[in-house]
Amino acid sequence: MTASILDGIVLGLQFGVLAAGLTLVYGLGGVLNLAYGQIAVVSGLITLLTMEAGLPAVPAALVGLVTGGVLGLVFDLTILQPVYRRHGEARVLLSLLLTLGAAFVIDGYLNWRYPLQGLNLRITGDPLVILGVRMRMGSVVASGITIVVIGVLFWLFRYTRLGRAIRSVIQDEEGSRLVGIDPQVMMRLILVLSGVLAAIVAITRSMVAPVNVRAGFSLTVLGLIVTVVGGLGSIPGAFLAGLVLGIINSVASSYIGTFLSLIILLVAAAITIVIRPAGLLGVRE
Amino acid sequence: MSGRALAAGTSLVGGVETRVSRSLPRLFGSIAAMAALLALVPLWVGDSRVRMGVAILGLAFACYAVGFNLIFGSTGQLFLCVGALAGVGGYGTALLADRAGVPLVAALIISTLGAALVGGLLSWVAVRRSLGVIFAGIITLIFALSFENLVLGASTLTGGDAGIQVSAGSGTFLRQRTAGYYVMLGLVVLCLVVHGLLRRSRVGWAFRALRDDEVAAELAGVDVSRYRVYAALVGSAMLGLAGGAYALIAGRVSPTTYGFAQVDVVVIVMLAFGGIGSLFGPVLGAVVFTILDELLIELGQLRLLAYGALIIVLFLWIRRGVIPTLAGLVRRTPGSPPAPAAGEEPG
């Protein structure tokens, strides 16, 4: 039991980062990016190809992070432009459809060109004993990186001018425009950040288990579940829900069966929507 | 597109068909004409087992597209689990009939009801909240993936990746190519009749009202959430029925028969091509893309890329649908008034 809970925390930290990237973009611009998982997969693949070209793991991972950021920027400059011109539900619906199309384009290309590739970063080292459970070094390193990322995100949003500017756009787009913040620029920055977060998830995930080129939609769906449970647009909610669902997922996988774990998460998301539509820490609209 | 419709939100999928004919003979006449045309297909390809298989699958997709149209086109709920709901019908029918010994017709009916219940439940969960349209997209996508995981994981029942042979229906007329085709065509007609009758009823009026302007519809006394769930129930029943019948006729189901990448992406393209919200658009789209898909079979995985690109192109530039746009161009002959643009309601 302790082992599954610890595994769940490792997974949950990654869920949190995954959902943070989705929820930030939604909270800021009312845009839902269904190609988010594909951005993660492409970043992971580029990391792999860079390593195969002879670069060590750390610089290759940095190349992967840059890839994620660039992909986010490309999305912002291309298919999201017509989305920004719409408002309310029409904006979300158009963003769902266009990013879904983009996701299929990326999936189709990857399945055709790299059908069998998978990123698997092996972190060697003796297992660490935590609470009497031997944790693999990969899991420990991955969790360490994720915790640092979460810390940086909190610092960014709480203590920097940029973070305050972004939060003000989330709260009141018109008001922030009046005090001289350009929501378009903030949106662009957030999409780049979201791409980098997707890349971080792909890279840290690959330290625990291989990330396959077909994983795009499952990553998006996991991110969506965590986002819904945590509350659309809430970053603390994303991390809290990530941890809770990570533990649920891990315990359910080891005691009930891996193939049912997604159904259990779906039910968790459905119950959350019915009982508390705004999510755990979301703001009621 | 008027500013009001833009502000209303769901205008993205609305406004294709502005006037619905109240004439019953005209409705049944046009459905019969279309059915008669499609009934000629076996004369053309009937001697080829492979081509008949493709034609039957094409008709199944026509049903899927009509069901999806009823949910998405009428009420703006983006259901991303078309394949999964058809799979509930397909695997449900196969397992009930083969494993549980339920009579074939009863198995089909129970699975159809099952699919309707699942679709209605997903919609009911989604409309709990003011942002129902978005939640429908999210929760159905989650369901689609959960269903795929379930089918792959519960391999003792479903055969996992390889799928299962469906022995129910073997030895009956369903497995004779032409008869199977006509059964499927009958289902297409059934779906069209149901959708056609709904459109000209009070329900259709409510659908158009909530699609064009949700707030105004609510103010006019339309229970928007309830009608969304109704549309999801009926549409999902169509998906489940077509999926179940296809399993009986094809004699084999596998995860790719009802896969997200194999069904949903194609159905969205078919509907967007044929004209969202129109009665015959989904069937025309299904016919066009069944033929195109056969021509593009050599592309393999790149077909997925092509469909993804088509979704982007269709929703960015040809939102009315290719067929309605072409029809509008043809109608715009000198001397006659131009066809009304998408979203413009007369009056």
Side-chain angles (χ1 to χ4, degrees), chain A residues 20-21 24 28 147-168 170 186 188-194 196-197 200 235-236 239:
Chain A
L24 269 173
L28 196 67
I147 290 169
V148 170
V149 169
I150 294 172
V152 168
L153 279 178
F154 267 109
W155 167 77
L156 181 77
F157 282 101
R158 204 153 288 269
Y159 297 109
T160 66
R161 276 177 73 87
L162 178 67
R164 278 200 293 271
I166 291 169
R167 279 193 294 149
S168 74
I170 292 179
M186 294 301 140
R188 192 154 295 160
L189 284 174
I190 283 302
L191 266 155
V192 172
L193 177 64
S194 140
V196 173
L197 290 177
I200 289 173
I235 307 168
F239 292 130

Side-chain angles (χ1 to χ4, degrees), chain A residues 26 32 34 79 82-83 85-109 111-113 214 217-221 224-225 228 231-232 258-263 265-266 269-271 273-279 283 285, chain B residues 1 6-13 72 76-78 80 122 124-126 128-135 137-139 141-143 145-147 149-154 214 228 260-261 264-265 268 299-302 304-313 315-316 319:
Chain A
Y26 180 80
L32 214 51
L34 291 186
I79 58 167
V83 172
R85 286 197 286 275
R86 292 176 165 272
H87 297 280
E89 282 191 341
R91 183 188 277 191
V92 188
L93 199 51
L94 191 63
S95 73
L96 282 174
L97 286 161
L98 294 183
T99 55
L100 184 70
F104 281 124
V105 168
I106 297 174
D107 255 13
Y109 179 75
N111 287 342
W112 171 72
R113 181 74 178 75
R214 290 166 195 270
F217 274 115
S218 4
L219 286 172
T220 307
V221 163
L224 285 175
I225 297 177
V228 166
L232 275 171
T258 314
F259 63 95
L260 283 174
S261 62
L262 202 55
I263 303 244
L265 295 187
L266 167 73
I271 291 174
I273 295 178
V274 172
I275 295 176
R276 198 177 152 77
V283 186
E285 286 164 51
Chain B
M1 189 153 301
L6 255 177
T10 40
S11 67
L12 180 68
V13 295
F72 179 54
Q77 303 178 87
L78 182 57
L80 294 174
L122 290 171
W124 180 78
V125 169
R128 298 271 85 197
R129 172 159 171 168
S130 57
L131 294 167
V133 170
I134 302 138
F135 272 76
I138 294 180
I139 200 146
L141 183 64
I142 300 174
F143 173 67
L145 235 75
S146 311
F147 182 78
N149 271 19
L150 185 67
V151 167
L152 287 173
E214 197 180 321
R228 286 219 159 107
F260 182 62
D264 286 79
V265 58
I268 294 175
L299 284 179
Q301 284 290 345
L302 282 181
L304 190 58
L305 190 156
Y307 279 118
L310 266 173
I311 291 183
I312 296 178
V313 169
F315 281 99
L316 271 186
R319 205 167 305 129

Side-chain angles (χ1 to χ4, degrees), chain B residues 291-304:
Chain B
I291 297 169
L292 261 181
D293 203 60
E294 275 311 292
L295 298 176
L296 296 179
I297 203 146
E298 311 240 312
L299 284 179
Q301 284 290 345
L302 282 181
R303 266 191 308 177
L304 190 58

Side-chain angles (χ1 to χ4, degrees), chain B residues 83-95:
Chain B
L85 287 173
V88 170
Y91 275 98
T93 307
L95 292 177

